[in-house]
Amino acid sequence: MSALRGRSARELATAMRTGTLSALDLVETALERIEATAELNAFITVLEDSARERAREADRAADRGEDLGPLHGVPVAIKDLRSRKAGVRNTMGLAPLADNVADEDSIAVERLEAAGAIVVGTTSTPALGHTIKTENRIVGATPTPFDHDRSAGGSSGGSAAALAVGTVPLATGSDIGGSLRVPAACCNVIGLKPTFGLVPERVSSDGFSTHSPFFVGGPMARTPEDVAVFLDVLAGQDGRDPFSVPRRKTDYVAATDRSTADLDVAYSPNLDLQPIAPAVRETVDAAVGDLATAGATVDTVDVSLPPYEELSMAYVEQVGVFFSSFAQQLAEQYEIDFETADVAETVRSTIALGAGTDATAERLQNVTRTAAYDGIENALDGYDVLVTPTLTVPPYSKHLADGYPTEIDGQSVMGVPTDAMLTWVFNLTGHPAASVPAGFTDDGLPVGLQIVGRRFAETDILSVAGAIERARPWTDRYPAV
């Protein structure tokens, strides 16, 4: 187990090059760890045979002295939604698709394998990735390893839990409202939502579906350096994605070592938008304070956004249309009747959100989005990044049927997912954002700190992530599950 757990992807790839580790040993260790932590339901499909065969090929290539990719021999996991591997089942968290097999690789899988990585399994997601708890009818609920009664978050909760217990050092995620960042916060890892277009995503039937709100794929890992390495592999234009853009000459890894004293950070405890649980506020305040003590310039700022009710309605209306159209495409392609299918009621209610939305009304929500974008740009003026809590509450119950908190810091809230997080705003505005570990509540629950940058300024986000890791190290704080 020590060959993999607690070691970074860069360390493992380096050990492969120097011959001190073999890819087969790494894969065997990953598979053993997956089996030992099976109670987390982090994986939907485990690829024992194909992963071992690719590992043997990787070892033979190393023995021949071939040029090795930056992730040569490194075990990785892919979220079972739009990260597809040909010949492997792709369920999207849907029981009716439990036996569906992908007929092509996604762009992310192509790039990972070209870099030498070895896919050891697909990670759990709620059906269609529809919410911020990871529970489905195929494997059940995925808890955070820090408290098995609480959620790993969603919709990339399987990837986050897999990272937290050291089954793999890298995992893919995707994000349309917080699905990279929320599980990162719940599981004490890092999830980066990159700028829209930086990481290409090919949607076979509707390549233009990802812009309202912005849907992106991105990297998840335990350290800023590994996120940087992973982003370097994933980023860059691909003609199959009409929104993808060319890579800039950017050194993401070097950005993680930028001097803390060079950083100018704007801090908003709640985006002037929502109540925050005291335990979360205190933990994030402490992390921001340590960042300032380490030399960063940190100022608390006001953020001028539309009122919560107006802004959340813009998000809910547009994300509802996204899921409604996504479900309709799947219904036609796979002959699924979502009214009678074996799915949770939250799936049906999410699909229904956009079913009756007028097209003109949906497009008019871009007026509210524009006001939000301007508010975030103004808050960033003069600063490298804006930081906030990721979630407004600590990790919540893992079961979909239990709902979400209805009171936060003494204030009544609606008990809907947008109440529990500060992430969805940036799927409306398009700003890149990451969640990094901020620390723990008094009862040992992880808290995430969200770092927001300007478009294509991922280096600034990674610089602040690196500074926080130096100020408040977390890689020795994972449970021995």
Side-chain angles (χ1 to χ4, degrees), residues 82 130 175-177 196 206 208-215 309-327 329 349-373 418 424-430:
R82 296 193 178 184
H130 78 285
D175 195 308
I176 196 170
F196 183 63
D206 183 359
F208 294 90
S209 65
T210 54
H211 69 288
S212 295
F214 292 121
F215 175 98
E309 292 78 8
E310 179 183 336
L311 190 58
S312 62
M313 179 57 68
Y315 174 73
V316 168
E317 193 159 286
Q318 293 197 329
V319 82
V321 170
F322 174 90
F323 279 111
S324 181
S325 61
F326 184 22
Q329 290 167 23
S349 62
T350 300
I351 294 170
L353 284 173
T357 301
D358 175 78
T360 301
E362 188 268 342
R363 289 299 295 268
L364 283 172
Q365 294 294 3
N366 286 336
V367 175
T368 301
R369 289 178 76 179
T370 301
Y373 175 86
T418 50
W424 54 276
V425 174
F426 304 103
N427 295 83
L428 290 175
T429 67

Side-chain angles (χ1 to χ4, degrees), residues 121-141:
T122 67
T123 57
S124 192
T125 182
L128 308 181
H130 78 285
T131 193
I132 57 170
K133 294 185 180 187
T134 295
E135 183 178 20
N136 58 55
R137 298 292 174 86
I138 301 172
V139 298

Side-chain angles (χ1 to χ4, degrees), residues 86-147:
V88 175
R89 64 174 180 163
N90 177 214
T91 73
M92 293 176 263
L94 283 167
L97 295 182
D99 298 319
N100 178 56
V101 175
D103 57 8
E104 63 177 0
D105 291 342
S106 62
I107 297 171
V109 169
E110 287 179 358
R111 293 185 173 184
L112 279 167
E113 293 191 336
I118 299 172
V119 178
V120 296
T122 67
T123 57
S124 192
T125 182
L128 308 181
H130 78 285
T131 193
I132 57 170
K133 294 185 180 187
T134 295
E135 183 178 20
N136 58 55
R137 298 292 174 86
I138 301 172
V139 298
T142 301
T144 173
F146 293 87
D147 183 335

